[in-house]
Amino acid sequence: MMEWLGLVAASTYAKDIDFVFDLILWITAFWFLLAEAVFFYLILRFRKKPGVPGQYITGELASEKRWITVPHFAVLLFDVVILFFAVKVWYEVKQNLPQAADQQLVRVIGQQWAWTFVHAGPDGKLDTPDDIIKVNELHVQVDKLHIFQLESKDVLHDFSVPVFRLKQDVIPGRVITGWFTPTKTGEYDIQCAEICGIGHALMPARIVIETSDQHAAWMAQNSTVAVASATAR
Ligand code: CUA
């Protein structure tokens, strides 16, 4: 449904999250249509007819109570199905932190009202001279595991990458770790998804998902250490 609405699925877990969305949508649609069908059937079937007095129904008979208890338990059963898949996907995305030898590290800093992205650079380590710092511009490589560390300089923000179906609150005083693996190249939106003051709506950024060659070229161009050593030679 999300892709049908035009939102590309560009991470390994995007389709799993979309599945839960669809499950909730179709279960809700099923109950809505069924309830409306029964509702209109009863309205028409038992409409006012000349000579037929209205019936007073107390709803105390077992045969009458069944109209409540059966749908009640059916709804609960469907809820358990939703819960099962929701917990499974939540665990995969939020509770689990995959590891890979060639994983990329990036620090994401929210502040009123911009995003700062500290890319680890060629050495793969943060807080080293080859880090690449960009404002409102995150560069990642397709098919590579990325570990991000979210930090805030001031208030609550929310790091949202719709094409990844990723959304995570950013909390001052905490470092929140998470992950994603992009599956499609291209340039997409990042948006703050937590009201963070007057400029909240003006806190968008871009994510650029590059092939390994493009990403290597971007890194070579932007790493100050690489540039400095090249000029020194
Ligand atoms: Cu930052 Cu809203």
Side-chain angles (χ1 to χ4, degrees), residues 111 113 115 156-158 192-197 200-201 203:
Q111 72 185 91
W113 289 278
W115 293 104
L156 289 175
H157 299 276
D158 188 305
C192 180
E194 180 81 41
I195 293 285
C196 54
H200 159 72
M203 204 177 154

Side-chain angles (χ1 to χ4, degrees), residues 46-104:
F46 298 102
R47 67 185 181 276
K48 188 183 175 190
K49 285 183 199 114
V52 181
Q55 255 188 73
Y56 181 67
I57 297 168
T58 59
E60 283 165 334
L61 295 173
S63 64
E64 292 165 352
K65 279 191 201 157
R66 237 171 267 151
W67 285 88
I68 306 293
T69 47
V70 171
H72 181 193
F73 283 108
V75 167
L76 285 180
L77 187 72
F78 278 80
D79 277 358
V80 171
V81 172
I82 292 174
L83 214 59
F84 173 79
F85 287 104
V87 168
K88 193 167 158 274
V89 173
W90 177 269
Y91 181 82
E92 177 199 340
V93 177
K94 298 280 190 182
Q95 299 297 112
N96 168 39
L97 192 66
Q99 297 278 311
D102 62 347
Q103 68 194 29
Q104 297 277 310

Side-chain angles (χ1 to χ4, degrees), residues 204-219:
R206 299 290 278 172
I207 182 165
V208 187
I209 308 170
E210 296 154 335
T211 62
S212 61
D213 288 350
Q214 287 168 335
H215 194 66
W218 174 83
M219 224 183 240

